[in-house]
């Protein structure tokens, strides 16, 4: 974290961290559909440490573009914040108690192929919300696009989210 004082940017390490993380944002079927074992600008495997496959080229591009957009320390702080975040910490591990008295409507959406935030965890959250008498709906969307599915064209996601927002607008008299 003290690289600024040394005048060195940890570009390679940050790029590798991003490449590794990026694999978890996509599902295995999505990666296979998009890349398979297609070669990158060559007719045969070279058996070198160069990038023979399109997936390698893609991941290297993701790593490099990330280094250009993110400071390594911000990445450290974001990942640490995710590690430390515990919604039930103030209620002695009882997640439902974190929502007692909450008047907000909740829509918990998960994607079947998301490895970062699994459907099982989303259901656990929905159960905790129900246990606190919260107004909650929970839906799992079938998708092979992994964690990034919410960023992509997923008609079922857009339909569920639009329905939830329109319902909330109606309840508040905004529609």
């Amino acid at each position: 974290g003290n690289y600024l004082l040394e005048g060195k940017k940890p570009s390679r390490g940050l790029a590798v961290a991003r490449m590794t993380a990026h694999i978890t944002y996509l599902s295995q079927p999505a990666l296979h559909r998009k890349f398979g074992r297609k070669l990158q600008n060559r007719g045969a495997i070279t058996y070198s440490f160069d990038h023979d496959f399109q997936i390698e080229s893609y991941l290297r591009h993701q790593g490099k573009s990330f280094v250009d957009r993110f400071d390594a320390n911000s990445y450290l702080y974001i990942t640490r914040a995710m590690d430390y975040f515990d919604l039930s910490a103030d209620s002695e591990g009882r997640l439902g108690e974190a929502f007692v008295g909450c008047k907000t409507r909740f829509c918990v959406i998960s994607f079947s192929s998301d490895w970062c935030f699994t459907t099982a965890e989303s259901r656990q959250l929905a159960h905790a919300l129900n246990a606190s008498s919260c107004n909650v709906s929970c839906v799992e969307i079938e998708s092979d696009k992994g964690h990034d599915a919410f960023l992509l064209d997923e008609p079922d996601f857009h339909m569920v989210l639009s329905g939830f927002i329109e319902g909330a607008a109606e309840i508040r008299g905004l529609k």
Side-chain angles (χ1 to χ4, degrees):
N2 291 328
Y3 62 89
L4 293 175
L5 297 175
E6 297 175 19
K8 294 191 249 177
K9 189 173 181 182
S11 299
R12 282 190 284 192
L14 184 58
V16 169
R18 174 60 174 177
M19 291 163 60
T20 304
H22 196 74
I23 291 170
T24 67
Y25 304 151
L26 303 170
S27 69
Q28 183 178 358
L31 285 169
H32 185 71
R33 181 181 63 251
K34 190 170 184 175
F35 300 106
R37 292 190 47 84
K38 295 177 200 153
L39 297 178
Q40 178 70 23
N41 300 327
R42 57 193 67 201
I45 295 174
T46 65
Y47 297 100
S48 70
F49 289 107
D50 195 12
H51 49 276
D52 282 345
F53 299 99
Q54 286 180 2
I55 183 67
E56 293 173 296
S57 178
Y58 171 77
L59 289 173
R60 286 184 184 184
H61 169 75
Q62 292 298 321
K64 183 183 178 337
S65 66
F66 188 75
V67 167
D68 294 340
R69 294 186 334 257
F70 268 81
D71 175 74
N73 280 333
S74 69
Y75 196 63
L76 291 173
Y77 280 101
I78 289 168
T79 57
R80 260 344 238 170
M82 289 173 60
D83 290 343
Y84 286 131
F85 180 75
D86 181 359
L87 195 55
S88 66
D90 290 340
S91 25
E92 297 176 12
R94 293 182 299 274
L95 184 57
E97 288 184 23
F99 300 104
V100 170
C102 188
K103 303 296 181 207
T104 303
R105 291 180 69 227
F106 293 89
C107 181
V108 178
I109 302 173
S110 69
F111 296 95
S112 57
S113 58
D114 187 342
W115 298 349
C116 297
F117 300 99
T118 66
T119 295
E121 291 170 319
S122 294
R123 283 192 193 118
Q124 183 182 22
L125 177 60
H127 287 212
L129 287 160
N130 275 320
S132 295
S133 301
C134 291
N135 184 347
V136 60
S137 58
C138 183
V139 63
E140 176 187 43
I141 295 175
E142 204 53 48
S143 171
D144 72 350
K145 296 177 182 153
H147 179 67
D148 279 356
F150 77 100
L151 297 170
L152 304 171
D153 185 23
E154 279 293 341
D156 288 346
F157 171 64
H158 297 292
M159 184 179 65
V160 168
L161 190 57
S162 294
F164 178 76
I165 292 170
E166 287 173 22
E170 276 183 37
I171 288 171
R172 292 183 168 254
L174 302 173
K175 190 162 179 153

